[in-house]
Coordinates of all heavy atoms in Angstrom, one line a residue:
D230 N -9.2 -10.2 109.6 CA -9.6 -8.8 109.4 C -10.1 -8.6 108.0 O -9.7 -9.4 107.1 CB -8.4 -7.8 109.7 CG -7.3 -7.9 108.7 OD1 -7.2 -8.9 108.0 OD2 -6.4 -7.0 108.7
A231 N -10.9 -7.6 107.8 CA -11.6 -7.5 106.5 C -11.9 -6.0 106.2 O -11.9 -5.2 107.2 CB -12.8 -8.3 106.4
F232 N -12.2 -5.7 105.0 CA -12.7 -4.4 104.6 C -14.1 -4.5 104.0 O -14.3 -5.3 103.1 CB -11.7 -3.7 103.6 CG -12.2 -2.4 103.1 CD1 -12.4 -1.3 103.9 CD2 -12.5 -2.3 101.7 CE1 -12.8 -0.1 103.4 CE2 -13.0 -1.1 101.2 CZ -13.1 0.0 102.1
I233 N -15.0 -3.6 104.5 CA -16.4 -3.6 104.0 C -16.7 -2.2 103.6 O -17.0 -1.4 104.4 CB -17.4 -4.2 105.0 CG1 -16.9 -5.5 105.6 CG2 -18.8 -4.4 104.3 CD1 -17.8 -6.0 106.7
P234 N -16.8 -1.9 102.3 CA -17.2 -0.5 101.8 C -18.6 -0.2 102.2 O -19.4 -1.1 102.6 CB -17.1 -0.6 100.3 CG -16.2 -1.8 100.0 CD -16.5 -2.8 101.1
A235 N -19.0 1.0 102.2 CA -20.3 1.5 102.5 C -21.4 0.8 101.6 O -21.1 0.5 100.4 CB -20.4 3.0 102.3
Y236 N -22.5 0.4 102.2 CA -23.6 -0.1 101.4 C -23.3 -1.5 100.9 O -24.0 -2.0 99.9 CB -24.1 0.8 100.3 CG -24.4 2.2 100.8 CD1 -23.6 3.3 100.3 CD2 -25.4 2.5 101.7 CE1 -23.9 4.6 100.7 CE2 -25.6 3.8 102.1 CZ -24.9 4.8 101.6 OH -25.1 6.1 102.1
Q237 N -22.4 -2.3 101.5 CA -22.1 -3.6 101.0 C -22.0 -4.6 102.2 O -22.1 -4.2 103.3 CB -20.8 -3.6 100.2 CG -20.8 -2.7 99.0 CD -19.6 -2.9 98.1 OE1 -19.2 -4.1 97.8 NE2 -19.0 -1.8 97.7
Q238 N -21.9 -5.9 101.9 CA -21.9 -6.9 102.9 C -20.7 -7.8 102.7 O -20.1 -7.9 101.6 CB -23.2 -7.8 102.8 CG -24.5 -7.0 103.0 CD -25.7 -8.0 102.8 OE1 -25.6 -9.0 102.2 NE2 -26.8 -7.5 103.4
L239 N -20.4 -8.6 103.8 CA -19.3 -9.6 103.7 C -19.6 -10.7 104.6 O -20.0 -10.5 105.8 CB -17.9 -9.0 104.1 CG -16.8 -9.9 104.1 CD1 -16.5 -10.4 102.6 CD2 -15.5 -9.3 104.7
K240 N -19.5 -11.9 104.2 CA -19.8 -13.1 105.0 C -18.5 -13.8 105.3 O -17.8 -14.2 104.4 CB -20.8 -14.1 104.3 CG -21.3 -15.2 105.2 CD -22.4 -15.9 104.5 CE -23.1 -16.9 105.4 NZ -24.2 -17.6 104.8
L241 N -18.3 -14.0 106.6 CA -17.1 -14.7 107.1 C -17.6 -16.2 107.3 O -18.5 -16.5 108.1 CB -16.6 -14.2 108.4 CG -16.2 -12.7 108.4 CD1 -15.8 -12.3 109.8 CD2 -15.1 -12.5 107.4
S242 N -17.0 -17.1 106.6 CA -17.4 -18.5 106.6 C -16.4 -19.4 107.2 O -15.2 -19.0 107.4 CB -17.8 -19.0 105.2 OG -16.7 -18.8 104.3
S243 N -16.7 -20.7 107.4 CA -15.8 -21.7 107.9 C -15.2 -21.3 109.2 O -14.0 -21.5 109.5 CB -14.7 -22.0 106.9 OG -15.3 -22.5 105.7
L244 N -16.0 -20.7 110.1 CA -15.5 -20.3 111.4 C -15.6 -21.4 112.4 O -16.6 -22.1 112.6 CB -16.4 -19.1 111.9 CG -16.3 -17.8 111.0 CD1 -17.3 -16.8 111.6 CD2 -14.9 -17.3 110.9
P245 N -14.5 -21.6 113.2 CA -14.6 -22.6 114.3 C -15.5 -22.2 115.4 O -15.8 -21.0 115.6 CB -13.1 -22.7 114.8 CG -12.3 -22.0 113.7 CD -13.2 -21.0 113.1
A246 N -16.0 -23.1 116.2 CA -16.9 -22.8 117.3 C -16.1 -22.0 118.3 O -14.9 -22.1 118.5 CB -17.4 -24.1 117.9
G247 N -16.8 -21.1 119.1 CA -16.1 -20.3 120.1 C -16.8 -19.0 120.3 O -17.8 -18.7 119.7
D248 N -16.3 -18.2 121.2 CA -16.8 -16.9 121.5 C -16.0 -15.8 120.8 O -14.8 -15.8 121.0 CB -16.8 -16.6 123.0 CG -17.8 -17.6 123.8 OD1 -18.8 -18.0 123.1 OD2 -17.6 -17.8 125.0
Y249 N -16.7 -14.9 120.1 CA -16.0 -13.9 119.3 C -16.5 -12.5 119.6 O -17.6 -12.4 120.2 CB -16.1 -14.2 117.8 CG -15.5 -15.5 117.3 CD1 -16.2 -16.7 117.3 CD2 -14.2 -15.5 116.8 CE1 -15.6 -17.8 116.9 CE2 -13.6 -16.6 116.3 CZ -14.4 -17.8 116.4 OH -13.8 -19.0 115.9
V250 N -15.8 -11.5 119.2 CA -16.3 -10.2 119.2 C -15.9 -9.6 117.8 O -15.0 -10.0 117.2 CB -15.7 -9.3 120.3 CG1 -16.2 -9.7 121.6 CG2 -14.2 -9.3 120.2
I251 N -16.7 -8.6 117.3 CA -16.4 -7.9 116.1 C -16.0 -6.5 116.5 O -16.7 -5.7 117.1 CB -17.6 -7.8 115.2 CG1 -18.0 -9.3 114.7 CG2 -17.3 -7.0 114.0 CD1 -16.9 -9.9 113.8
K252 N -14.8 -6.1 116.0 CA -14.3 -4.7 116.2 C -14.4 -4.0 114.8 O -14.0 -4.5 113.8 CB -12.8 -4.7 116.6 CG -12.6 -5.4 118.0 CD -11.1 -5.4 118.3 CE -10.9 -6.1 119.7 NZ -9.4 -6.1 120.1
I253 N -15.0 -2.8 114.8 CA -15.2 -2.1 113.6 C -14.6 -0.7 113.7 O -14.7 -0.1 114.8 CB -16.7 -2.0 113.2 CG1 -17.5 -1.2 114.3 CG2 -17.3 -3.4 113.0 CD1 -18.9 -1.0 113.9
M254 N -14.0 -0.2 112.7 CA -13.4 1.1 112.6 C -13.8 1.9 111.4 O -13.7 1.3 110.3 CB -11.9 1.0 112.7 CG -11.2 2.4 112.6 SD -9.3 2.3 112.6 CE -9.1 2.0 114.4
N255 N -14.3 3.1 111.5 CA -14.5 4.0 110.4 C -13.2 4.5 109.9 O -12.5 5.3 110.6 CB -15.5 5.1 110.8 CG -15.7 6.1 109.7 OD1 -15.4 5.8 108.5 ND2 -16.2 7.3 110.1
I256 N -12.8 4.1 108.7 CA -11.5 4.5 108.2 C -11.4 6.0 107.9 O -10.3 6.6 107.7 CB -11.1 3.7 106.9 CG1 -12.0 4.1 105.7 CG2 -11.1 2.3 107.2 CD1 -11.6 3.5 104.4
A257 N -12.5 6.7 107.9 CA -12.5 8.2 107.6 C -12.0 9.0 108.8 O -11.4 10.0 108.6 CB -13.9 8.7 107.2
D258 N -12.2 8.5 110.0 CA -11.8 9.2 111.2 C -11.1 8.3 112.3 O -10.6 8.8 113.3 CB -12.9 10.0 111.9 CG -14.1 9.1 112.2 OD1 -13.9 7.8 112.3 OD2 -15.2 9.6 112.4
G259 N -11.1 7.0 112.1 CA -10.4 6.1 113.0 C -11.2 5.8 114.2 O -10.7 5.2 115.2
C260 N -12.5 6.2 114.3 CA -13.3 5.9 115.5 C -13.7 4.4 115.4 O -14.0 3.9 114.4 CB -14.6 6.8 115.5 SG -14.2 8.5 115.8
A261 N -13.7 3.8 116.6 CA -13.9 2.3 116.6 C -14.9 1.9 117.7 O -15.2 2.6 118.6 CB -12.6 1.6 116.9
Q262 N -15.5 0.7 117.5 CA -16.5 0.1 118.4 C -16.3 -1.4 118.4 O -15.6 -1.9 117.6 CB -17.9 0.5 118.0 CG -18.3 1.9 118.1 CD -19.7 2.2 117.7 OE1 -20.2 1.6 116.8 NE2 -20.4 3.0 118.4
I263 N -16.9 -2.0 119.4 CA -16.8 -3.4 119.6 C -18.2 -4.0 119.9 O -19.0 -3.4 120.6 CB -15.8 -3.8 120.7 CG1 -15.6 -5.3 120.8 CG2 -16.3 -3.2 122.1 CD1 -14.5 -5.7 121.8
S264 N -18.5 -5.2 119.3 CA -19.8 -5.8 119.5 C -19.8 -6.6 120.8 O -18.8 -6.8 121.5 CB -20.0 -6.8 118.3 OG -19.2 -7.9 118.5
P265 N -21.0 -7.0 121.2 CA -21.1 -7.9 122.3 C -20.5 -9.3 121.9 O -20.2 -9.5 120.7 CB -22.7 -8.1 122.5 CG -23.3 -6.9 121.9 CD -22.4 -6.6 120.7
V266 N -20.4 -10.2 122.8 CA -19.8 -11.5 122.5 C -20.8 -12.3 121.6 O -22.0 -12.3 121.9 CB -19.5 -12.3 123.8 CG1 -19.1 -13.7 123.5 CG2 -18.4 -11.6 124.6

Side-chain angles (χ1 to χ4, degrees):
D230 67 345
F232 174 65
I233 312 177
Y236 307 115
Q237 300 191 46
Q238 300 177 341
L239 178 67
K240 189 169 188 177
L241 303 177
S242 56
S243 302
L244 298 176
D248 293 335
Y249 296 87
V250 291
I251 295 294
K252 299 179 180 181
I253 63 175
M254 175 182 286
N255 175 15
I256 66 173
D258 55 20
C260 293
Q262 290 181 322
I263 185 171
S264 74
V266 174

